[in-house]
Amino acid sequence: MRYLPFLLFGKKPTILSFDQTVEEIIRNKKSLARFGDGEICILLLEGEGIGFQKLDYELSLRLSEVINHQGDKLLVSLPNTFGKISELRVESKIFWYGFNLAYAKKILKKIPTNKVFGDTNVTRFYMMYKDKSHLNVLKKVNKLKSIWENQDILIVEGVETKLGVGNNLFANANSISRILCPSKNAFSNYQDIFESVKKYGKNKLILLALGPTATVLAYDLSQENFWALDVGHIDVEYMWFLMNATEKVGIKGKSVNEYNRGISENDSKSIDTLYEQTILTKIE
């Protein structure tokens, strides 16, 4: 039953494990472009878009370009939950089983059959899984932290995302700077964002938290010899872990698009001085 959608529709994609994905990023200094459920829906032009990105035909075309890329600078990733759902909690099993049945056949038509993908859920290490034991999750977190240890990092994020604020996720980095982008429909400002990242991202590890726009950015930046990782909800997952949360909840001072149908518990006054000092520019 674990791989039912692919037994029905064709060959299951080859997807690396969590550890293999992180090792590939570190060992070969690969950029990471992640396809989650939102990116897949926009790629397929299904539905009405997601909470922070409207359906966009040009974005769909760019995502198709990314998912078919065969170069050695970029690791394109798919959810390890394509078929493999035994480790998930009940709610996540229900979601991914339905998602797989709806989209497995369609996505298989969009991807190269001989391609090896990374694990999109490398940054989704907590909430969806049954095993939330401290040691198990901390092992994954520490492995992720080793990516940016002693690195100068440039964070490219939505204006209310605030990666690393209120936690120690990036405490082992050498330095942190930020480019703030629109929290919704960032792809409409794509060229300005891209040029700004190229300006400020030289000799830095670039961490992208910008929805489907980040997937395309990681690809374009990798082609310009930048090291760019689409880290998605990594900060939210880490905060939920620190909170011992068993359900998706709001996080004070940060945007959490998956909480309460995208309406986040947000305190815009909750901004510390150190965070403000990291901001290089803001794109509106």
Side-chain angles (χ1 to χ4, degrees):
M1 292 294 289
R2 284 169 56 181
Y3 302 117
L4 177 60
F6 294 97
L7 291 174
L8 291 174
F9 302 135
K11 183 181 177 182
K12 186 176 76 72
T14 301
I15 301 176
L16 300 177
S17 68
F18 176 97
D19 288 342
Q20 290 170 330
T21 300
V22 176
E23 287 165 8
E24 187 73 8
I25 291 168
I26 296 173
R27 184 187 302 117
N28 297 314
K29 208 170 183 179
K30 283 196 175 182
S31 293
L32 177 69
R34 298 167 51 257
F35 281 80
D37 58 294
E39 287 76 21
I40 289 170
C41 285
I42 291 176
L43 168 67
L44 298 173
L45 291 173
E46 296 278 353
E48 299 179 357
I50 52 181
F52 49 87
Q53 178 61 60
K54 64 184 179 181
L55 210 60
D56 186 295
Y57 183 70
E58 182 182 352
L59 176 55
S60 174
L61 290 177
R62 292 305 319 277
L63 289 171
S64 181
E65 180 182 353
V66 176
I67 206 167
N68 284 284
H69 178 66
Q70 295 277 22
D72 58 3
K73 297 178 181 178
L74 180 74
L75 181 61
V76 179
S77 66
L78 287 174
N80 63 0
T81 42
F82 260 140
K84 186 180 179 181
I85 61 174
S86 60
E87 297 176 355
L88 305 185
R89 64 183 189 140
V90 173
E91 295 86 349
S92 297
K93 279 185 179 180
I94 293 170
F95 172 81
W96 280 105
Y97 191 80
F99 189 88
N100 290 346
L101 286 174
Y103 299 116
K105 185 176 181 180
K106 294 178 181 179
I107 197 66
L108 280 171
K109 292 180 178 179
K110 291 280 188 178
I111 61 178
T113 56
N114 61 340
K115 187 178 178 69
V116 176
F117 293 90
D119 175 16
T120 284
N121 292 324
V122 70
T123 60
R124 293 276 201 171
F125 50 81
Y126 179 71
M127 186 56 72
M128 70 169 63
Y129 295 102
K130 289 185 291 188
D131 185 358
K132 291 181 170 59
S133 62
H134 185 83
L135 288 178
N136 178 57
V137 179
L138 192 60
K139 181 181 177 181
K140 291 182 177 181
V141 169
N142 287 337
K143 199 166 188 72
L144 288 166
K145 284 184 175 183
S146 69
I147 298 173
W148 49 81
E149 186 169 6
N150 299 322
Q151 297 284 341
D152 295 307
I153 62 176
L154 173 65
I155 295 173
V156 184
E157 61 182 354
V159 69
E160 296 291 354
T161 303
K162 301 175 188 173
L163 262 68
V165 176
N167 61 56
N168 65 349
L169 186 57
F170 305 112
N172 63 334
N174 186 52
S175 68
I176 299 174
S177 54
R178 300 173 194 269
I179 296 174
L180 301 189
C181 305
S183 57
K184 289 189 176 183
N185 300 317
F187 191 71
S188 298
N189 298 81
Y190 186 82
Q191 199 57 39
D192 289 342
I193 295 170
F194 183 49
E195 294 301 328
S196 185
V197 177
K198 289 196 294 181
K199 176 181 177 181
Y200 293 109
K202 294 176 182 177
N203 301 314
K204 293 182 180 180
L205 168 60
I206 303 165
L207 302 182
L208 309 166
L210 212 56
T213 299
T215 306
V216 181
L217 268 174
Y219 166 65
D220 284 343
L221 289 167
S222 72
Q223 302 312 293
E224 300 269 351
N225 295 315
F226 289 91
W227 190 18
L229 307 177
D230 170 11
V231 296
H233 289 74
I234 189 171
D235 181 85
V236 172
E237 289 279 316
Y238 187 52
M239 289 297 291
W240 284 337
F241 164 60
L242 295 177
M243 297 162 66
N244 292 315
T246 56
E247 301 292 338
K248 295 178 180 180
V249 296
I251 300 170
K252 188 175 181 180
K254 299 188 181 190
S255 176
V256 183
N257 71 287
E258 294 181 352
Y259 171 68
N260 198 19
R261 298 185 180 179
I263 301 172
S264 59
E265 181 181 312
N266 196 4
D267 178 7
S268 60
K269 296 180 181 179
S270 181
I271 301 175
D272 61 45
T273 303
L274 289 176
Y275 164 74
E276 290 184 306
Q277 290 174 349
T278 65
I279 300 171
L280 299 176
T281 188
K282 183 175 179 180
I283 298 170
E284 297 178 302

